[in-house]
Structure formats: C-alpha cells, structure tokens
Amino acid sequence: MKYPPSLVALIRELSRLPGIGPKSAQRLAFHLFEQPREDIERLASALLEAKRDLHSCSVCFNITDSQKCDVCSDPSRDQNVICVVEEPGDVIAIERSGEYRGLYHVLHGVLSPMNGVGPDRLHIKPLLPRVQEGMEVILATGTTVEGDATALYLQRLLEPLGADVSRIAYGIPAGGTLEYTDEVTLGRALTGRQRITRN
Amino acid sequence: MKYPPSLVALIRELSRLPGIGPKSAQRLAFHLFEQPREDIERLASALLEAKRDLHSCSVCFNITDSQKCDVCSDPSRDQNVICVVEEPGDVIAIERSGEYRGLYHVLHGVLSPMNGVGPDRLHIKPLLPRVQEGMEVILATGTTVEGDATALYLQRLLEPLGADVSRIAYGIPAGGTLEYTDEVTLGRALTGRQRITRN
C-alpha cells in the first residue's frame, strides 16, 4: 500500500517544523484529516496572514505588524535602558514578568561558530547606534555556552561606547531546592549573593 | 506590549493541534516567522490540498485519494480476512510489518463511553455486510481498556454472522526483558504461550 501523494506532501511539510519528527507529523496529518474543512482553511490562512502582516521592528527587531513595535513606539518606556535578547519570544517572557519598563533589542539568534552563526548573522550592527553614553544595556541572552559567549562579545563592543553593561542574574529559579540544583548554577548563585542586612 | 493580531491568530490555530500547547504554538509561530515566504506557502497549500484530495475509502474507511483505497482495489489481497483497526495510522503500521496480506476496516476511534463515543460514532455498521460466513476477522484495536472493550463488542456482533473472530496476540514486545515487563503483559504472555516442540 502506498500513501496518497497529498498525504505524503502534508507529512513532509509538517515534519519540517521544529520538534516535529516523522511520527508526530504523521499523527498530525491524520488528525487534520479528521477535522472539518473550515478548521483547515482557518489554519492555512492564519499561516499566510501571519507571514504577510508580520515583520521585524525597524528599530529593535521585535515582531510587529507596524513599522515600529509597541515597545519602541511607546514614549512612556524608559528610553535609557536596552535589554538585549535572543528571540522575540524572550521579549514576551520578560514583559510577562512585569519587572521591566525599558526598551529591547532582539538579536534573532546567538553566536554559534559550530553552526556557522557569526556576528554578521545577528542584528548586532543596528544595536550600536542605539547605545548612548551612560545608557544601561542589559545582556539577557540565555545562560548557555552560546548565550554567555554572545554576551561577552557584546560587552566588548558596548563598553567602549560608554554604556553601563549588565548581565541578567544567574541563580536558583523560584521554587528551586538546593539539593536538586546543578553545581554550576549553585556556584554562580553563591558568587552572585546579594546583601540583605542594612548594617 | 500586545501581540499583533495575526500572530495571536496563528498561535491560536497552532495550539488547536494535538500535542501542541500554548508554549509550543508560540515557539512554532516564531519559527515560522523566520522562514522564507515560499516555505509557509508550501505548508499552507499542502494543508489545503490534503484536505481537498483525501477522504475515507468507501469500503474500509482507510485514507485514500481515490474512491477505493489501494488495499481494497488490489485483487491480489486475501479477500477472506479483514483486520479491524482503530485509525488509518494503524493500517500503515501493519503494512510496514509485512506480515499481512488481507483487507482492513478502519473504525476511526474506539468505544469510549467516558468521552461520549458510542458504537454509532464509529464505522461499525458498514463492517457487518462485509463479513461473510467462514471469513476471518482479526480484531486489532489497541490493548487498552477501550481497545479491549471495542474488540469484545465487535466479537459479539460478528460471531452470529459465522465469522472466525480472532484478537491480535498480547505478549512481550520484541527486544523486551521479563524483568521490566508489567505484570498484566507478563500474565497474558504466559496465558498466550505457544507450543514450539513437535512431539
């Protein structure tokens, strides 16, 4: 027995999505087969409309459907802090924490020589003219090897511009127990300890 | 900051897919945002074409793009055996084993009173006229509670028609060790033991 060609094509396209292997793609395709036509049409047009409407903010490279994103066009945001993140999803995550009122800059990746990603593949160059002397730049790339390397690279670029460069804190996540925290995190949480007594 | 509406719509449609929660849907949407337009268009048209071309076989309810599926329209298949399975994916799995040359019947589900799935929601009625006296019907629904209940229900319907009804074997999966096999499987593997001596 052979798969019908349109089923083969659908499974192939679905398995190109990240985190979806051939088995999941097949399961998804069979699921979609059972859905009413309107649902499939809604999914297909959501895909096409998102691709048509969405692009990167001309200032910070966050996802937007306007020329400038919501954050960049909001004058009430603190214009003296820029938080540098890897991906648009990181902006959402930080906004959700409610702890930040400054601007963003989205790199769209991290430096990764192993995967052939050098500084030219990231939105690093447009960051430099945004940084003024005395401004704070928070490097909020991930605490992975690549995230750390990217932060170090940016630190070296930004310090000569007179920026006040900081790195998000390493530490124990909320709800974490010391027993189950890995030794690197624990070591860094100790080094980064914060004084709480006022004497 | 608010998500652009077309991003919200895409995330909502993606999170309706099985096994994809809001977080994965967001990650998928950001991934798709980074892809070239042609890739998105290929995915969208694969969805629409699959929905347009594919339907259930008029005889066995397997997925096909013709009126009758490849198996039903192949005269070299053994017309005296019908293997009853839950989903079209099960047909693929059995075909891949290379152990079966008969016909299929796809129920498109299992009996599940808890989820409101009674016999009328499955393709059980069209199975009955296919079963002739002396024919073998292999009940290959899953070895779950619902799969077993469905097999029992079908057995009671098919026996009065004079069919030779069988159930796929329970047992230790290939490569399995007894130590790590659960007690239900082990008990059934013992009950279903097969004689290998010829005395």
Side-chain angles (χ1 to χ4, degrees):
Chain A
M1 202 202 92
K2 281 195 315 243
Y3 278 29
S6 52
L7 182 60
V8 175
L10 179 57
I11 293 173
R12 187 185 57 228
E13 293 306 320
L14 290 172
S15 62
R16 294 162 66 104
L17 299 173
I20 296 184
K23 276 254 168 170
S24 314
Q26 187 181 302
R27 203 166 51 91
L28 274 178
F30 287 136
H31 166 87
L32 290 166
F33 170 73
E34 309 275 353
Q35 302 314 303
R37 177 195 300 267
E38 307 83 64
D39 286 20
I40 306 299
E41 283 169 355
R42 211 159 50 227
L43 173 57
S45 55
L47 284 162
L48 296 172
E49 279 164 27
K51 194 63 199 172
R52 189 193 62 205
D53 295 352
L54 300 177
H55 46 261
S56 294
C57 170
S58 61
V59 179
C60 76
F61 300 94
N62 187 9
I63 288 191
T64 178
D65 55 2
S66 328
Q67 198 235 332
K68 275 167 87 174
C69 76
D70 270 21
V71 175
C72 288
S73 46
D74 178 353
S76 78
R77 306 282 308 207
D78 184 345
Q79 309 286 316
N80 276 310
V81 198
I82 296 177
C83 180
V84 180
V85 295
E86 296 178 14
E87 300 293 349
D90 302 336
V91 173
I92 308 295
I94 294 178
E95 286 294 291
R96 214 179 279 133
S97 78
E99 291 291 327
Y100 183 69
R101 290 291 304 158
L103 307 175
Y104 291 97
H105 192 87
V106 184
L107 299 172
H108 285 264
V110 269
L111 293 179
S112 177
M114 295 279 286
N115 298 314
V117 182
D120 295 345
R121 293 273 296 275
L122 307 180
H123 295 295
I124 291 178
K125 221 172 259 171
L127 169 62
L128 307 183
R130 295 185 66 195
V131 176
Q132 313 291 323
E133 191 157 342
M135 216 178 197
E136 184 178 1
V137 181
I138 304 172
L139 302 175
T141 51
T143 57
T144 56
V145 174
E146 286 96 346
D148 279 341
T150 309
L152 187 64
Y153 179 86
L154 290 173
Q155 179 192 353
R156 290 186 180 157
L157 278 182
L158 298 172
E159 272 172 356
L161 303 175
D164 182 8
V165 182
S166 58
R167 179 91 171 98
I168 43 156
Y170 285 90
I172 318 284
T177 54
L178 268 63
E179 188 180 356
Y180 294 114
T181 302
D182 68 282
E183 59 271 26
V184 177
T185 304
L186 202 49
R188 287 178 172 175
L190 284 170
T191 315
R193 67 188 177 280
Q194 300 199 335
R195 197 159 203 201
I196 50 170
T197 172
R198 289 176 183 277
N199 300 329
Chain B
M1 203 203 93
K2 284 196 315 250
Y3 277 29
S6 51
L7 182 59
V8 175
L10 178 57
I11 293 174
R12 186 186 56 228
E13 294 307 319
L14 290 171
S15 62
R16 294 162 67 104
L17 299 173
I20 296 186
K23 277 255 169 171
S24 314
Q26 185 181 302
R27 202 166 52 91
L28 275 178
F30 287 136
H31 166 88
L32 290 166
F33 171 72
E34 310 275 353
Q35 302 314 302
R37 178 195 300 270
E38 308 81 67
D39 285 20
I40 307 297
E41 282 167 356
R42 211 161 47 230
L43 172 57
S45 55
L47 283 162
L48 296 171
E49 279 164 28
K51 193 63 201 173
R52 188 193 61 208
D53 294 352
L54 300 176
H55 45 262
S56 293
C57 168
S58 60
V59 179
C60 75
F61 300 93
N62 188 11
I63 287 189
T64 178
D65 54 2
S66 329
Q67 199 237 331
K68 274 167 88 172
C69 77
D70 270 22
V71 175
C72 288
S73 45
D74 179 353
S76 79
R77 307 281 308 207
D78 183 346
Q79 310 286 318
N80 276 310
V81 197
I82 297 178
C83 179
V84 180
V85 296
E86 295 177 16
E87 301 293 348
D90 302 335
V91 173
I92 308 294
I94 294 177
E95 285 295 289
R96 215 179 279 130
S97 79
E99 291 292 327
Y100 183 70
R101 289 294 304 160
L103 306 175
Y104 291 97
H105 192 87
V106 184
L107 298 173
H108 286 264
V110 268
L111 292 179
S112 176
M114 295 277 287
N115 298 313
V117 182
D120 294 345
R121 292 274 295 278
L122 306 180
H123 294 295
I124 290 178
K125 218 171 264 169
L127 170 63
L128 307 183
R130 295 185 66 196
V131 176
Q132 312 291 326
E133 190 158 344
M135 216 179 198
E136 183 179 2
V137 180
I138 304 173
L139 302 175
T141 51
T143 58
T144 57
V145 174
E146 286 96 347
D148 278 341
T150 309
L152 187 63
Y153 179 86
L154 290 173
Q155 178 191 352
R156 290 188 181 156
L157 278 182
L158 298 172
E159 272 174 355
L161 303 176
D164 181 8
V165 182
S166 58
R167 180 88 171 99
I168 44 157
Y170 284 90
I172 318 283
T177 56
L178 267 64
E179 189 180 355
Y180 294 113
T181 302
D182 69 280
E183 58 271 28
V184 176
T185 304
L186 202 49
R188 287 181 172 172
L190 284 169
T191 313
R193 67 189 178 278
Q194 300 198 336
R195 195 161 205 198
I196 51 172
T197 170
R198 288 175 187 275
N199 298 331

